[in-house]
Amino acid sequence: MCGIISVVDRSRSGMDGSSIKNALSLMDERGSGEGAGYAAYGVYPDFADYYAIHLFFNNLVEPKGAVDEILRAWGKIEHEEEIPTVEQPDLRRTRIPWRYFFKPDPTLMPGSDTPEEDIIMMLVMKINTSIQGALVFSSGKNIGVFKASGWPEAVADFYQIDQYEGYIWLAHNRYPTNTPGWWGGAHPFNLLDWSVIHNGEITSYGTNRRYIESFGYRCTMFTDTEVVAYLCDLLSRRHGLPRELMVRAFAPPFWDEIDRMKKPEMELNHAIRQTYGSALMNGPFAIVVATADGIVGFTDRIKLRPLIAAEAGDRLYIASEEAAIRRMESSLDHVWMPQAGEPVIGRVQS
Amino acid sequence: MNPGSVPAKFKVRIDADQCMLCERCVENCPYGTYRREGEHISVDSRRCVACHRCVAMCPRDSITIEEKPVDYRSHPLWTRESREAIYNQARTGRIVLAGMGNASDLPIIFDRLLLDACQVTNPSIDPLREPMELRTYIGKKPRKLDLRKKRNGDIELKTRLHPNLRLNTPIMIGHMSYGAISLNAQLSMARAVASEGTFMGTGEGGLHPALREFQDNMIVQVASGRFGVDIDYLERGAAIEIKIGQGAKPGIGGHLPGEKIDPDISQTRMIPERSDAISPAPHHDIYSIEDLKQLVHSLKEATEWKKPVFVKIAAVHNVAAIASGIARSSADAVVIDGFRGGTGAAPRVFRDHVGIPIEAAIAAVDQKLRSQGIRNEVSIIASGGIRDAAEVTKAIALGADAIYIGTAALIAMGCRVCGTCYRGLCPWGIATQNSSLTRRLNPDVEWQHVANLIRGWTLEISELMGAAGINSIESLRGNRDRLRGYLLDEAMMNILDVQPVGA
């Protein structure tokens, strides 16, 4: 189980979080009240050039001191604050959500093509693996992730997401099965620009995790979805794969289909499977991945989890259920069910 | 000391009421266990090696072979094996030879690893209804793809893939040379791998003309003796394997006695008839990793960079670091042979005491290559006593790309693991060059048995993968989350990087 819904406004018009909260709440039976979350793009226009680093602190003494120190060593903290929250009757507050707006010093990462991103990635891994009581769960520019253990409406009200306006929204209602429901384990998962929501179970997790670990990533959130965010970062940002081909690596055509392709296409698909076989994801899943310039949704190769897409004007919706989409927009131009492994891509107009 | 003082290992009995004196046991036993004496068959149990050829051939099921109870005084330290080895060496003053794999009673790690199956939260996949992909590519892979977007928006692939072997199943047959085994045995296995879309090794014995028909499914071996190696040999193979070490006898070479070098083997190995074929322990042009790298390059250069080159080593204590050096030598695959690996003949002291288990070796090599960020660029082939589809699956989950079987393929052709291959009298026509024995193995029949074995295991791997919710072998490789350790100590579980059962 788990319920996912996402929307992109291709003209970059802002949407506040109230309607996606309603849509996600419609899928309450897909969760168990142990995790929900929202990601929104474009929510920090005043700090658009800074990395918005969201953390959970266990307390504000030791872990925060250590995080302050490491961030100051690697760049400049422009602004920091506790993420505003409102206590909810059925949400037990176990973490303190905090955010920094941070600019890394690129001269400290010589030899990197993308020094700022590499510094942020390194800091996320370092904080999450070495500072007890601190967990970075969001680290992109002009992006905010808001998640906790609780029902969708409680989490939305806790963070007051109707106060934020974004042009891309992702939302997730969790039914934890393999690992405990906890604040860090709620979706979305994020690294840099990448945010991920996922319904299902990635049976290739062990392979995927060990693959990305050999590129310096460290999984710390005890769920299989975390690897998807890191794989996106590796394949897209660091290896330069276009989004369609990144999804092709995650959910490639079967060899029989590849064998029937015409030569250039066959060679390309061969190369993707041979090179990125360890990034192939198995098991039942429906995933939506977002970056600042759009969203992409896809399922596993035999579509063991539902995924519905719909369009209304400039907006593209991808969700577990059509009813949830219609909660956000009752009048849809086009509704369809994507094929297994076939990506649905919504790009923001540049 | 009287040789007779070492008791016989087996007791052979013939049920006289059943026996019809057909003498098939006499004809079939090359060790001379049976003799017709008047109206009965006399038995010399001391000669029996328990190969079971007589049992299989007796039309009346009148033969019984039992392990003969120990008649030494029992002792927890001075076991029958230890005492007999001493008696034998006191008598001969020589190295004690043994065949097949490690026969020590050491725990088998595979038996203490358990596989996973889906329940409720994710569906298991039914291989009868859904595609299940076991296709495996062995060889070097690029670290990343170099792509260019063309003006019309199409993506152009700039990266050129290295040559890889395409396997329909992750099961291959390892290297057993013509000389160690018979041509009929090689022919049977070659036809089987061609039929199943996989590969077998030639061993270091060269490539017999009769095998050329199957050369596209054969990996040619370059061992220290360089027997049979010339440019024609290298070009015929689908891949080339440099053999540095072997699981059954790490650190020592090979020896095919002169009496086995008949004219046919002499021609195939390119050595004089009746001369001993000795592969030295080291290659005499490899005394360092740099030398190995040069040989890898030379073989690639000689074959115009069209063939993958593998390097085979025995699983030893520092195997991970050695494999890492091999991976960086531009070799396409590292083959690791564990201490259960079989052999025609090895000093018993090596076979049973040198090397480490393949399970730990795979895990250590996979982990080392990952920590260095190069695991994805080189394939790992594991071998050494793999007995069934579950062990193949476990080996892949620990990190292997594919496995070699050896003994299992021989068993499919009739081998009873009697462990006396080194005597050259294999009654099943496998580990022998005696034409009266080799003709017992009919390649037109036996290839099907080997093919059936590979097919059966492949089906079982599909089922195991489906049960774990995995439909592509790429997602099984190195997926240690799908394994749990049962009654393994904590240190071993750390090496294997698996959780205990219940976790």
Side-chain angles (χ1 to χ4, degrees):
Chain A
M1 295 292 271
C2 292
I4 60 175
I5 180 159
S6 58
V7 56
V8 55
D9 188 298
R10 289 177 282 209
S11 66
R12 280 187 183 268
S13 298
M15 299 166 268
D16 73 46
S18 55
S19 64
I20 202 161
K21 168 193 145 185
N22 288 336
L24 190 66
S25 305
L26 182 92
M27 297 188 288
D28 266 1
E29 80 282 3
R30 301 186 74 87
S32 61
E34 292 187 67
Y38 302 84
Y41 286 66
V43 286
Y44 297 128
D46 295 343
F47 295 100
D49 290 335
Y50 294 86
Y51 289 90
I53 299 183
H54 289 200
L55 296 98
F56 289 132
F57 282 124
N58 285 3
N59 66 66
L60 295 182
V61 187
E62 298 92 351
K64 183 162 186 315
V67 170
D68 286 350
E69 192 181 334
I70 192 171
L71 288 181
R72 286 196 188 109
W74 283 91
K76 184 180 171 217
I77 300 168
E78 181 63 19
H79 177 69
E80 60 169 310
E81 62 186 359
E82 185 176 351
I83 298 175
T85 55
V86 174
E87 294 295 321
Q88 298 299 311
D90 50 358
L91 192 153
R92 201 166 66 85
R93 187 186 169 101
T94 60
R95 299 287 192 284
I96 302 157
W98 198 271
R99 65 189 167 204
Y100 293 90
F101 294 97
F102 175 74
K103 192 180 269 299
D105 178 353
T107 62
L108 298 177
M109 192 65 88
S112 164
D113 295 336
T114 51
E116 289 200 351
E117 282 93 344
D118 280 342
I119 289 174
I120 297 292
M121 179 196 139
M122 181 274 295
L123 287 172
V124 172
M125 302 301 149
K126 200 173 176 70
I127 291 169
N128 287 353
T129 53
S130 66
I131 301 180
Q132 209 174 4
L135 183 89
V136 181
F137 60 91
S138 178
S139 52
K141 276 184 180 171
N142 211 358
I143 298 164
V145 170
F146 307 96
K147 63 184 187 179
S149 288
W151 290 99
E153 49 276 29
V155 173
D157 293 342
F158 178 70
Y159 286 108
Q160 298 176 281
I161 65 159
D162 55 350
Q163 304 292 312
Y164 294 93
E165 238 184 44
Y167 62 93
I168 295 174
W169 279 89
L170 262 56
H172 183 267
N173 181 16
R174 186 165 187 229
Y175 196 139
T177 46
N178 280 345
T179 51
W182 70 297
W183 286 43
H187 300 207
F189 284 90
N190 166 283
L191 180 69
L192 293 162
D193 262 7
W194 302 100
S195 300
V196 177
I197 47 176
H198 161 221
N199 165 25
E201 209 170 304
I202 298 174
T203 51
S204 56
Y205 172 69
T207 300
N208 302 143
R209 178 176 61 80
R210 299 184 76 247
Y211 175 62
I212 55 164
E213 280 178 355
S214 69
F215 289 92
Y217 298 89
R218 295 288 172 266
C219 293
T220 50
M221 303 196 200
F222 315 124
T223 112
D224 49 6
T225 309
E226 186 183 12
V227 296
V228 183
Y230 301 160
L231 281 169
C232 290
D233 187 56
L234 176 67
L235 267 60
S236 185
R237 177 175 70 86
R238 291 171 68 184
H239 287 186
L241 253 60
R243 205 153 306 172
E244 296 86 340
L245 297 188
M246 178 182 84
V247 172
R248 193 80 56 86
F250 293 161
F254 288 95
W255 283 117
D256 286 349
E257 296 169 55
I258 295 174
D259 289 345
R260 290 196 295 270
M261 290 173 181
K262 291 199 174 123
K263 201 173 179 202
E265 200 190 355
M266 185 187 74
E267 285 176 350
L268 179 61
N269 280 278
H270 248 279
I272 291 170
R273 267 197 92 163
Q274 285 197 37
T275 309
Y276 294 110
S278 299
L280 189 156
M281 294 176 200
N282 236 294
F285 60 76
I287 291 174
V288 178
V289 175
T291 57
D293 59 358
I295 61 174
V296 53
F298 58 99
T299 66
D300 63 85
R301 305 191 301 162
I302 49 178
K303 204 168 181 187
L304 293 165
R305 285 291 183 274
L307 197 72
I308 304 283
E311 282 180 312
D314 282 333
R315 292 184 181 169
L316 171 77
Y317 299 86
I318 306 174
S320 303
E321 295 182 21
E322 185 178 337
I325 297 174
R326 289 197 183 274
R327 199 64 172 310
M328 291 188 82
E329 174 61 68
S330 57
S331 171
L332 297 167
D333 303 336
H334 178 211
V335 182
W336 75 101
M337 281 179 277
Q339 299 268 311
E342 196 68 38
V344 179
I345 298 175
R347 279 200 185 82
V348 174
Q349 289 150 11
S350 51
Chain B
M1 182 165 47
N2 179 349
S5 65
V6 177
K9 279 196 170 59
F10 307 102
K11 177 70 190 162
V12 183
R13 271 193 273 263
I14 295 182
D15 183 340
D17 293 340
Q18 288 289 319
C19 179
M20 61 180 192
L21 297 172
C22 67
E23 296 187 30
R24 284 189 197 168
C25 50
V26 180
E27 288 160 18
N28 272 281
C29 181
Y31 298 103
T33 307
Y34 302 98
R35 199 170 65 243
R36 171 80 181 253
E37 281 183 359
E39 287 308 299
H40 75 283
I41 304 288
S42 76
V43 175
D44 181 356
S45 288
R46 184 171 295 279
R47 292 171 180 264
C48 177
V49 298
C51 74
H52 278 214
R53 179 80 189 181
C54 55
V55 174
M57 292 298 145
C58 177
R60 304 288 291 267
D61 287 334
S62 52
I63 301 173
T64 308
I65 300 174
E66 295 168 319
E67 291 211 29
K68 195 163 181 287
V70 176
D71 59 358
Y72 297 105
R73 178 212 160 200
S74 64
H75 194 287
L77 179 65
W78 296 101
T79 60
R80 170 186 181 140
E81 286 72 27
S82 62
R83 271 180 276 187
E84 287 189 5
I86 291 172
Y87 294 143
N88 285 331
Q89 286 193 294
R91 196 178 70 242
T92 63
R94 305 182 72 155
I95 290 171
V96 177
L97 284 184
M100 306 311 289
N102 189 323
S104 302
D105 187 20
L106 294 166
I108 295 163
I109 298 170
F110 278 135
D111 288 344
R112 298 183 181 199
L113 286 172
L114 300 173
L115 289 160
D116 192 21
C118 298
Q119 308 287 310
V120 184
T121 59
N122 57 348
S124 40
I125 300 169
D126 182 352
L128 294 175
R129 291 171 179 79
E130 301 287 350
M132 198 59 63
E133 298 190 305
L134 274 72
R135 189 191 293 189
T136 304
Y137 284 86
I138 299 293
K140 195 168 271 306
K141 314 285 191 302
R143 180 178 179 79
K144 62 190 275 287
L145 289 181
D146 188 11
L147 304 167
R148 196 175 63 181
K149 200 162 193 172
K150 294 203 282 198
R151 282 195 177 163
N152 64 3
D154 287 355
I155 303 284
E156 186 187 7
L157 178 67
K158 302 286 284 178
T159 306
R160 279 190 60 196
L161 292 182
H162 297 268
N164 271 237
L165 293 188
R166 177 190 149 171
L167 281 58
N168 286 346
T169 169
I171 304 161
M172 296 188 281
I173 299 178
H175 291 259
M176 291 172 280
S177 69
Y178 179 37
I181 61 171
S182 66
L183 186 58
N184 279 347
Q186 281 202 329
L187 277 168
S188 306
M189 294 190 292
R191 193 166 161 190
V193 292
S195 140
E196 298 309 306
T198 183
F199 294 80
M200 71 172 275
T202 57
E204 62 169 328
L207 183 75
H208 191 276
L211 291 162
R212 288 178 187 166
E213 184 185 341
F214 307 108
Q215 64 188 25
D216 291 345
N217 295 86
M218 300 201 72
I219 302 160
V220 295
Q221 191 176 71
V222 175
S224 62
R226 306 285 155 88
F227 303 123
V229 177
D230 65 6
I231 189 64
D232 178 64
Y233 173 73
L234 297 177
E235 283 177 348
R236 284 182 186 279
I240 301 166
E241 182 168 313
I242 300 168
K243 176 195 154 187
I244 302 293
Q246 170 180 357
K249 40 183 177 176
I252 60 171
H255 176 199
L256 191 67
E259 56 263 32
K260 284 192 176 174
I261 314 294
D262 64 17
D264 210 27
I265 290 178
S266 149
Q267 282 211 329
T268 311
R269 289 207 174 201
M270 302 178 193
I271 53 172
E273 285 179 37
R274 305 300 161 197
S275 65
D276 281 15
I278 295 173
S279 312
H283 287 242
H284 285 166
D285 52 0
I286 303 177
Y287 284 91
S288 66
I289 195 77
E290 297 87 344
D291 292 347
L292 174 69
K293 184 174 179 177
Q294 285 192 20
L295 182 60
V296 173
H297 277 247
S298 301
L299 292 169
K300 289 195 170 197
E301 195 68 40
T303 51
E304 298 173 326
W305 298 80
K306 289 179 182 163
K307 294 177 195 301
V309 174
F310 307 163
V311 176
K312 174 180 171 178
I313 52 169
V316 289
H317 301 186
N318 198 25
V319 65
I322 300 160
S324 160
I326 291 169
R328 292 166 188 280
S329 74
S330 87
D332 299 80
V334 51
V335 182
I336 321 163
D337 196 17
F339 77 164
R340 298 268 179 203
T343 180
R348 201 184 75 134
V349 69
F350 272 81
R351 189 195 67 172
D352 294 347
H353 298 282
V354 183
I356 65 169
I358 190 61
E359 301 92 321
I362 299 168
V365 169
D366 182 70
Q367 187 55 40
K368 173 71 90 179
L369 296 181
R370 280 177 197 278
S371 71
Q372 298 181 343
I374 53 173
R375 169 63 186 94
N376 234 44
E377 294 157 55
V378 66
S379 298
I380 296 175
I381 302 165
S383 62
I386 289 174
R387 298 168 297 172
D388 56 35
E391 294 189 349
V392 180
T393 309
K394 291 171 189 178
I396 294 171
L398 285 172
D401 290 81
I403 61 99
Y404 275 153
I405 56 171
T407 307
L410 303 186
I411 293 172
M413 293 188 290
C415 166
R416 298 300 206 261
V417 197
C418 68
T420 40
C421 329
Y422 59 97
R423 292 175 63 183
L425 291 172
C426 177
W428 296 91
I430 299 169
T432 177
Q433 306 305 326
N434 180 326
S435 59
S436 68
L437 299 172
T438 57
R439 77 166 72 103
R440 293 179 179 181
L441 195 152
N442 181 353
D444 292 335
V445 174
E446 294 305 333
W447 79 269
Q448 189 69 64
H449 293 148
V450 180
N452 284 347
L453 177 78
I454 295 172
R455 199 172 310 150
W457 283 17
T458 304
L459 289 171
E460 288 179 337
I461 297 166
S462 297
E463 292 285 349
L464 289 169
M465 281 170 47
I470 289 171
N471 60 15
S472 155
I473 198 137
E474 290 108 309
S475 301
L476 177 66
R477 189 181 311 134
N479 196 342
R480 299 183 191 172
D481 280 25
R482 305 261 78 92
L483 294 170
R484 288 289 185 273
Y486 182 53
L487 297 176
L488 283 172
D489 63 60
E490 194 176 348
M492 180 54 71
M493 283 196 291
N494 284 336
I495 294 285
L496 300 174
D497 189 22
V498 296
Q499 298 279 314
V501 287

